[in-house]
Coordinates of all heavy atoms in Angstrom, one line a residue:
S291 N -7.3 0.9 33.5 CA -7.2 1.6 34.8 C -5.9 2.4 34.9 O -5.9 3.5 35.5 CB -7.3 0.6 35.9 OG -6.2 -0.3 36.0
L292 N -4.8 1.9 34.3 CA -3.5 2.6 34.4 C -3.6 3.8 33.5 O -3.0 4.9 33.8 CB -2.4 1.7 33.9 CG -2.0 0.5 34.9 CD1 -1.0 -0.4 34.3 CD2 -1.6 1.1 36.2
L293 N -4.3 3.7 32.3 CA -4.4 4.9 31.4 C -5.2 6.0 32.1 O -5.0 7.2 31.9 CB -5.1 4.5 30.1 CG -4.3 3.7 29.1 CD1 -5.2 3.3 28.0 CD2 -3.1 4.5 28.6
D294 N -6.2 5.6 33.0 CA -7.0 6.6 33.7 C -6.4 7.1 35.0 O -7.0 8.0 35.6 CB -8.4 6.0 33.9 CG -9.2 5.7 32.6 OD1 -8.9 6.4 31.6 OD2 -10.0 4.8 32.7
S295 N -5.3 6.5 35.4 CA -4.7 6.9 36.7 C -3.7 8.0 36.5 O -3.5 8.6 35.4 CB -4.0 5.7 37.3 OG -2.8 5.4 36.5
T296 N -3.1 8.4 37.6 CA -2.1 9.5 37.6 C -0.7 9.0 37.4 O 0.3 9.7 37.3 CB -2.1 10.2 39.0 OG1 -1.8 9.2 40.0 CG2 -3.4 10.9 39.3
V297 N -0.6 7.6 37.1 CA 0.7 7.1 36.8 C 1.2 7.5 35.4 O 0.4 7.5 34.5 CB 0.7 5.5 36.8 CG1 2.0 4.9 36.4 CG2 0.2 5.0 38.2
V298 N 2.4 8.0 35.3 CA 3.0 8.5 34.1 C 3.9 7.4 33.5 O 5.0 7.3 34.0 CB 3.7 9.8 34.3 CG1 4.3 10.3 32.9 CG2 2.8 10.9 34.9
T299 N 3.4 6.7 32.5 CA 4.2 5.6 31.9 C 4.7 6.1 30.6 O 4.2 7.0 29.9 CB 3.4 4.3 31.8 OG1 2.4 4.6 30.7 CG2 2.7 4.0 33.1
S300 N 5.8 5.4 30.1 CA 6.2 5.7 28.7 C 5.7 4.6 27.8 O 6.0 4.6 26.6 CB 7.7 5.8 28.6 OG 8.3 4.6 29.1
G301 N 4.9 3.7 28.3 CA 4.3 2.6 27.4 C 3.6 1.6 28.3 O 4.1 1.2 29.4
I302 N 2.4 1.1 27.8 CA 1.7 0.0 28.3 C 1.4 -0.9 27.2 O 0.7 -0.5 26.3 CB 0.4 0.5 29.0 CG1 0.7 1.5 30.1 CG2 -0.3 -0.7 29.6 CD1 -0.6 2.1 30.7
Q303 N 2.0 -2.1 27.2 CA 1.9 -3.0 26.1 C 1.4 -4.4 26.4 O 1.8 -4.9 27.4 CB 3.3 -3.1 25.5 CG 3.5 -4.2 24.4 CD 5.0 -4.3 24.0 OE1 5.4 -3.7 23.0 NE2 5.8 -5.0 24.7
A304 N 0.5 -4.9 25.6 CA 0.0 -6.2 25.8 C 0.7 -7.1 24.7 O 0.7 -6.9 23.5 CB -1.5 -6.3 25.6
R305 N 1.4 -8.2 25.2 CA 2.1 -9.2 24.3 C 1.2 -10.4 24.4 O 1.0 -11.0 25.4 CB 3.5 -9.5 24.8 CG 4.5 -8.4 24.6 CD 5.9 -8.8 25.1 NE 6.0 -8.8 26.5 CZ 6.5 -9.8 27.2 NH1 6.9 -10.9 26.6 NH2 6.6 -9.8 28.5
V306 N 0.6 -10.7 23.2 CA -0.3 -11.8 23.1 C 0.0 -12.7 22.0 O 0.7 -12.3 21.0 CB -1.8 -11.3 22.9 CG1 -2.3 -10.5 24.1 CG2 -1.8 -10.3 21.7
Q307 N -0.4 -14.0 22.1 CA -0.2 -15.0 21.0 C -1.2 -16.1 21.1 O -1.9 -16.2 22.1 CB 1.3 -15.5 21.0 CG 1.7 -16.1 22.3 CD 3.2 -16.6 22.2 OE1 3.4 -17.6 21.5 NE2 4.1 -15.9 22.9
S308 N -1.3 -16.9 20.1 CA -2.3 -17.9 20.0 C -2.2 -19.0 21.0 O -3.2 -19.8 21.1 CB -2.4 -18.5 18.6 OG -1.1 -18.9 18.2
Q309 N -1.1 -19.2 21.7 CA -1.0 -20.2 22.7 C -1.5 -19.8 24.1 O -1.1 -20.4 25.1 CB 0.5 -20.7 22.8 CG 0.9 -21.6 21.7 CD 1.4 -20.8 20.5 OE1 1.5 -19.6 20.6 NE2 1.8 -21.5 19.4
N310 N -2.3 -18.7 24.1 CA -2.9 -18.2 25.3 C -1.8 -17.6 26.3 O -2.1 -17.5 27.5 CB -3.7 -19.3 26.1 CG -5.0 -19.5 25.4 OD1 -5.6 -18.6 24.8 ND2 -5.5 -20.7 25.5
Q311 N -0.7 -17.3 25.8 CA 0.3 -16.6 26.7 C 0.1 -15.1 26.5 O 0.3 -14.6 25.5 CB 1.7 -17.1 26.3 CG 2.0 -18.5 26.5 CD 3.4 -18.9 26.0 OE1 4.1 -18.1 25.5 NE2 3.8 -20.2 26.3
V312 N -0.3 -14.5 27.6 CA -0.6 -13.1 27.6 C 0.2 -12.4 28.6 O 0.2 -12.8 29.8 CB -2.1 -12.8 27.8 CG1 -2.5 -11.4 27.6 CG2 -3.0 -13.7 26.9
F313 N 0.8 -11.3 28.2 CA 1.6 -10.5 29.2 C 1.2 -9.0 29.0 O 1.0 -8.5 27.9 CB 3.1 -10.6 28.9 CG 3.6 -12.0 29.2 CD1 3.6 -13.0 28.1 CD2 4.0 -12.5 30.4 CE1 4.1 -14.3 28.3 CE2 4.5 -13.8 30.6 CZ 4.5 -14.7 29.6
L314 N 1.2 -8.3 30.1 CA 1.1 -6.8 30.1 C 2.3 -6.2 30.6 O 2.8 -6.5 31.8 CB -0.1 -6.4 31.0 CG -0.4 -4.9 30.9 CD1 -1.0 -4.6 29.5 CD2 -1.4 -4.5 32.0
D315 N 3.0 -5.4 29.8 CA 4.2 -4.7 30.2 C 4.0 -3.3 30.4 O 3.3 -2.6 29.6 CB 5.3 -4.9 29.1 CG 5.6 -6.3 28.7 OD1 5.6 -7.2 29.7 OD2 5.8 -6.7 27.5
V316 N 4.6 -2.7 31.5 CA 4.4 -1.3 31.8 C 5.9 -0.8 31.9 O 6.7 -1.3 32.7 CB 3.7 -1.1 33.2 CG1 3.6 0.4 33.5 CG2 2.3 -1.8 33.2
R317 N 6.2 0.2 31.1 CA 7.5 0.8 31.1 C 7.5 2.2 31.8 O 6.7 3.0 31.5 CB 8.0 0.9 29.6 CG 9.5 1.4 29.5 CD 9.9 1.3 28.1 NE 9.2 2.3 27.3 CZ 9.4 2.3 25.9 NH1 10.2 1.5 25.3 NH2 8.7 3.2 25.2
L318 N 8.5 2.4 32.7 CA 8.6 3.6 33.4 C 10.0 4.2 33.1 O 11.0 3.4 33.1 CB 8.5 3.4 34.9 CG 7.1 2.8 35.3 CD1 7.2 2.4 36.8 CD2 6.0 3.7 35.1
E319 N 10.1 5.5 32.9 CA 11.4 6.1 32.5 C 11.5 7.4 33.3 O 10.6 8.1 33.5 CB 11.5 6.4 31.0 CG 11.5 5.1 30.2 CD 11.6 5.5 28.7 OE1 11.1 6.5 28.3 OE2 12.1 4.6 27.9
G320 N 12.8 7.7 33.8 CA 13.0 8.9 34.5 C 14.1 8.6 35.6 O 15.0 7.8 35.5
L321 N 14.0 9.4 36.7 CA 14.9 9.2 37.8 C 14.5 8.0 38.6 O 13.4 7.5 38.6 CB 14.8 10.4 38.7 CG 15.2 11.8 38.1 CD1 15.0 12.9 39.1 CD2 16.7 11.8 37.6
R322 N 15.5 7.4 39.3 CA 15.2 6.1 40.0 C 14.2 6.3 41.0 O 13.2 5.4 41.1 CB 16.5 5.6 40.6 CG 16.3 4.3 41.5 CD 17.6 3.8 42.0 NE 18.5 3.4 40.9 CZ 19.7 2.9 41.1 NH1 20.2 2.7 42.4 NH2 20.5 2.5 40.1
A323 N 14.2 7.3 41.8 CA 13.2 7.6 42.8 C 11.8 7.7 42.2 O 10.8 7.2 42.8 CB 13.6 8.8 43.7
T324 N 11.8 8.4 41.1 CA 10.5 8.6 40.5 C 9.9 7.3 40.0 O 8.7 7.0 40.1 CB 10.6 9.6 39.3 OG1 11.1 10.8 39.8 CG2 9.3 9.8 38.6
N325 N 10.8 6.5 39.3 CA 10.3 5.2 38.8 C 9.8 4.3 40.0 O 8.8 3.6 39.8 CB 11.5 4.5 38.1 CG 11.8 5.1 36.8 OD1 11.0 5.9 36.2 ND2 12.9 4.8 36.2
E326 N 10.5 4.3 41.1 CA 10.1 3.4 42.2 C 8.8 3.9 42.8 O 7.9 3.1 43.1 CB 11.2 3.5 43.3 CG 12.5 2.8 42.9 CD 13.6 2.9 43.9 OE1 13.4 3.7 44.9 OE2 14.6 2.2 43.8
S327 N 8.6 5.2 42.8 CA 7.3 5.7 43.3 C 6.1 5.3 42.4 O 5.1 4.9 42.8 CB 7.4 7.2 43.5 OG 6.1 7.8 43.8
Q328 N 6.4 5.5 41.0 CA 5.4 5.1 40.0 C 5.1 3.6 40.0 O 4.0 3.2 39.9 CB 5.9 5.6 38.7 CG 6.0 7.1 38.5 CD 4.7 7.8 38.3 OE1 4.0 7.5 37.3 NE2 4.4 8.6 39.2
A329 N 6.2 2.8 40.2 CA 6.0 1.4 40.2 C 5.2 0.9 41.4 O 4.4 -0.1 41.3 CB 7.4 0.7 40.3
A330 N 5.3 1.6 42.5 CA 4.4 1.2 43.7 C 3.0 1.5 43.4 O 2.1 0.7 43.8 CB 4.9 2.1 44.9
Q331 N 2.7 2.5 42.6 CA 1.3 2.8 42.2 C 0.8 1.7 41.3 O -0.4 1.3 41.3 CB 1.2 4.2 41.6 CG 1.5 5.3 42.6 CD 1.3 6.7 41.9 OE1 0.2 7.0 41.4 NE2 2.3 7.5 41.9
V332 N 1.7 1.3 40.3 CA 1.3 0.3 39.4 C 1.0 -1.0 40.1 O 0.0 -1.7 39.8 CB 2.4 0.1 38.3 CG1 2.0 -1.0 37.4 CG2 2.6 1.4 37.5
R333 N 1.9 -1.4 41.0 CA 1.7 -2.7 41.7 C 0.4 -2.6 42.5 O -0.4 -3.6 42.6 CB 2.8 -2.9 42.6 CG 4.1 -3.3 41.9 CD 5.2 -3.8 42.8 NE 6.4 -4.2 42.1 CZ 7.5 -3.4 41.9 NH1 7.5 -2.2 42.4 NH2 8.5 -3.9 41.3
K334 N 0.1 -1.5 43.1 CA -1.2 -1.4 43.9 C -2.4 -1.5 43.0 O -3.4 -2.2 43.3 CB -1.2 0.0 44.6 CG -2.4 0.2 45.5 CD -2.4 1.5 46.2 CE -3.6 1.8 47.1 NZ -3.6 3.1 47.8
A335 N -2.3 -0.9 41.8 CA -3.5 -1.0 40.8 C -3.6 -2.4 40.3 O -4.7 -2.9 39.9 CB -3.2 -0.1 39.7
A336 N -2.5 -3.2 40.3 CA -2.6 -4.6 39.7 C -3.0 -5.6 40.7 O -3.2 -6.8 40.4 CB -1.2 -4.9 39.2
Q337 N -3.2 -5.3 42.0 CA -3.6 -6.3 43.0 C -4.9 -6.9 42.6 O -5.8 -6.2 42.0 CB -3.7 -5.6 44.4 CG -2.4 -5.1 44.9 CD -2.6 -4.4 46.3 OE1 -3.7 -4.1 46.7 NE2 -1.5 -4.1 47.0
P338 N -5.1 -8.2 42.8 CA -4.2 -9.1 43.6 C -3.1 -9.8 42.8 O -2.4 -10.7 43.3 CB -5.2 -10.2 44.0 CG -6.2 -10.3 42.9 CD -6.3 -8.9 42.3
W339 N -2.9 -9.4 41.5 CA -1.8 -10.0 40.8 C -0.4 -9.4 41.2 O -0.4 -8.3 41.8 CB -2.0 -9.7 39.3 CG -3.3 -10.2 38.8 CD1 -3.8 -11.5 38.8 CD2 -4.3 -9.4 38.1 NE1 -5.0 -11.6 38.2 CE2 -5.3 -10.3 37.8 CE3 -4.4 -8.1 37.8 CZ2 -6.5 -9.9 37.1 CZ3 -5.5 -7.7 37.1 CH2 -6.6 -8.5 36.8
R340 N 0.6 -10.1 40.8 CA 2.0 -9.6 41.1 C 2.7 -9.2 39.8 O 2.7 -10.0 38.9 CB 2.8 -10.6 41.9 CG 2.3 -10.9 43.3 CD 3.3 -11.8 44.0 NE 4.6 -11.1 44.1 CZ 5.7 -11.7 44.6 NH1 5.7 -13.0 45.0 NH2 6.8 -11.1 44.6
L341 N 3.2 -8.0 39.8 CA 4.0 -7.5 38.6 C 5.5 -7.8 38.9 O 6.0 -7.4 39.9 CB 3.8 -6.0 38.4 CG 2.4 -5.7 37.7 CD1 2.2 -4.2 37.9 CD2 2.5 -5.9 36.2
A342 N 6.1 -8.6 38.0 CA 7.5 -8.9 38.1 C 8.3 -7.9 37.3 O 8.0 -7.5 36.2 CB 7.8 -10.3 37.6
E343 N 9.5 -7.5 37.9 CA 10.4 -6.7 37.2 C 11.2 -7.5 36.2 O 11.8 -8.5 36.6 CB 11.3 -6.0 38.2 CG 12.2 -4.9 37.6 CD 13.0 -4.1 38.7 OE1 12.5 -4.0 39.8 OE2 14.1 -3.6 38.4
V344 N 11.3 -7.1 35.0 CA 12.0 -7.8 34.0 C 13.0 -7.0 33.3 O 13.0 -5.8 33.5 CB 11.0 -8.4 32.9 CG1 10.0 -9.4 33.6 CG2 10.2 -7.3 32.2
E345 N 13.8 -7.6 32.4 CA 14.9 -6.8 31.7 C 14.2 -6.0 30.6 O 13.2 -6.4 30.0 CB 15.9 -7.8 31.1 CG 16.7 -8.6 32.1 CD 17.7 -9.5 31.4 OE1 18.0 -9.3 30.2 OE2 18.2 -10.4 32.1
T346 N 14.8 -4.8 30.4 CA 14.2 -3.9 29.4 C 14.3 -4.4 28.0 O 13.5 -4.0 27.2 CB 15.0 -2.5 29.5 OG1 16.4 -2.8 29.3 CG2 14.8 -1.9 30.8
K347 N 15.1 -5.4 27.7 CA 15.2 -6.0 26.4 C 13.9 -6.7 26.0 O 13.7 -7.1 24.9 CB 16.4 -6.9 26.2 CG 16.3 -8.1 27.0 CD 17.6 -9.0 26.8 CE 17.6 -10.3 27.6 NZ 18.8 -11.1 27.4
A348 N 13.0 -7.0 27.0 CA 11.8 -7.6 26.7 C 10.8 -6.7 26.0 O 9.8 -7.2 25.5 CB 11.1 -8.2 28.0
W349 N 11.1 -5.4 26.0 CA 10.1 -4.5 25.4 C 10.0 -4.6 23.9 O 8.9 -4.4 23.3 CB 10.5 -3.0 25.8 CG 9.4 -2.1 25.3 CD1 9.5 -1.3 24.2 CD2 8.2 -1.8 26.0 NE1 8.3 -0.5 24.1 CE2 7.5 -0.8 25.2 CE3 7.5 -2.3 27.1 CZ2 6.2 -0.3 25.5 CZ3 6.3 -1.8 27.4 CH2 5.7 -0.8 26.6
P350 N 11.0 -4.7 23.1 CA 10.9 -4.6 21.6 C 10.1 -5.8 21.0 O 10.6 -6.4 20.0 CB 12.3 -4.6 21.1 CG 13.1 -5.3 22.1 CD 12.4 -5.0 23.4
A351 N 8.9 -6.1 21.5 CA 8.1 -7.2 20.9 C 7.7 -6.8 19.5 O 7.5 -7.8 18.7 CB 6.9 -7.4 21.8
R352 N 7.5 -5.6 19.2 CA 7.1 -5.2 17.8 C 8.1 -5.6 16.8 O 7.8 -6.2 15.7 CB 6.8 -3.7 17.8 CG 6.4 -3.2 16.4 CD 6.2 -1.7 16.3 NE 7.5 -1.0 16.4 CZ 7.6 0.3 16.4 NH1 6.5 1.1 16.2 NH2 8.8 0.9 16.5
E353 N 9.4 -5.4 17.1 CA 10.5 -5.7 16.1 C 10.5 -7.2 16.0 O 10.8 -7.7 14.9 CB 11.8 -5.2 16.6 CG 11.9 -3.7 16.5 CD 11.3 -2.9 17.7 OE1 10.7 -3.6 18.5 OE2 11.3 -1.7 17.7
D354 N 10.2 -8.0 17.0 CA 10.3 -9.4 16.9 C 9.3 -10.0 16.0 O 9.5 -11.1 15.4 CB 10.1 -10.1 18.3 CG 11.3 -9.7 19.3 OD1 12.3 -9.4 18.8 OD2 11.1 -9.8 20.5
L355 N 8.2 -9.3 15.7 CA 7.2 -9.8 14.8 C 7.7 -9.9 13.4 O 7.1 -10.7 12.6 CB 5.9 -8.9 14.9 CG 5.2 -8.8 16.2 CD1 4.1 -7.8 16.1 CD2 4.7 -10.1 16.7
W356 N 8.7 -9.2 13.1 CA 9.2 -9.2 11.7 C 10.2 -10.3 11.4 O 10.6 -10.5 10.3 CB 9.9 -7.9 11.4 CG 8.9 -6.7 11.3 CD1 8.5 -6.0 12.4 CD2 8.2 -6.2 10.2 NE1 7.5 -5.1 12.0 CE2 7.4 -5.2 10.7 CE3 8.2 -6.6 8.9 CZ2 6.6 -4.4 9.8 CZ3 7.4 -5.8 8.0 CH2 6.6 -4.8 8.5
K357 N 10.6 -11.0 12.5 CA 11.6 -12.1 12.3 C 10.9 -13.4 11.9 O 9.7 -13.6 12.1 CB 12.3 -12.3 13.7 CG 13.1 -11.1 14.2 CD 13.7 -11.3 15.5 CE 14.4 -10.1 16.0 NZ 15.0 -10.3 17.4
G358 N 11.7 -14.3 11.3 CA 11.1 -15.6 10.9 C 10.8 -15.7 9.4 O 11.4 -15.0 8.6
T359 N 9.9 -16.6 9.1 CA 9.7 -16.9 7.7 C 9.0 -15.8 6.9 O 8.2 -15.0 7.5 CB 8.8 -18.2 7.6 OG1 7.5 -17.9 8.2 CG2 9.4 -19.3 8.3
A360 N 9.2 -15.7 5.6 CA 8.6 -14.7 4.8 C 7.1 -15.0 4.5 O 6.4 -14.2 3.9 CB 9.4 -14.6 3.5
S361 N 6.7 -16.2 4.9 CA 5.3 -16.6 4.6 C 4.3 -16.0 5.5 O 3.1 -16.2 5.4 CB 5.2 -18.1 4.6 OG 5.5 -18.6 5.9
A362 N 4.8 -15.3 6.5 CA 3.9 -14.7 7.5 C 3.5 -13.3 7.0 O 4.1 -12.7 6.2 CB 4.7 -14.5 8.9
A363 N 2.3 -12.9 7.6 CA 1.8 -11.5 7.3 C 1.9 -10.7 8.5 O 1.5 -11.1 9.6 CB 0.3 -11.6 6.8
V364 N 2.4 -9.5 8.4 CA 2.5 -8.5 9.5 C 1.6 -7.4 9.2 O 1.6 -6.8 8.2 CB 4.0 -8.0 9.7 CG1 4.0 -7.0 10.9 CG2 4.9 -9.2 9.9

Side-chain angles (χ1 to χ4, degrees):
S291 68
L292 291 175
L293 286 176
D294 294 335
S295 71
T296 58
V297 177
V298 181
T299 70
S300 60
I302 303 173
Q303 170 183 266
R305 287 182 288 132
V306 291
Q307 54 181 291
S308 51
Q309 284 85 4
N310 286 331
Q311 296 178 355
V312 186
F313 296 90
L314 185 70
D315 302 323
V316 181
R317 187 173 63 184
L318 304 169
E319 294 179 332
L321 301 175
R322 177 175 297 181
T324 303
N325 287 346
E326 291 175 352
S327 174
Q328 297 282 299
Q331 296 183 55
V332 174
R333 291 190 175 98
K334 183 178 180 180
Q337 291 178 352
W339 304 301
R340 292 190 60 186
L341 282 162
E343 188 173 332
V344 298
E345 297 182 14
T346 54
K347 67 180 182 180
W349 186 262
R352 180 182 68 176
E353 288 81 359
D354 293 340
L355 299 178
W356 294 86
K357 300 176 182 178
T359 62
S361 61
V364 179

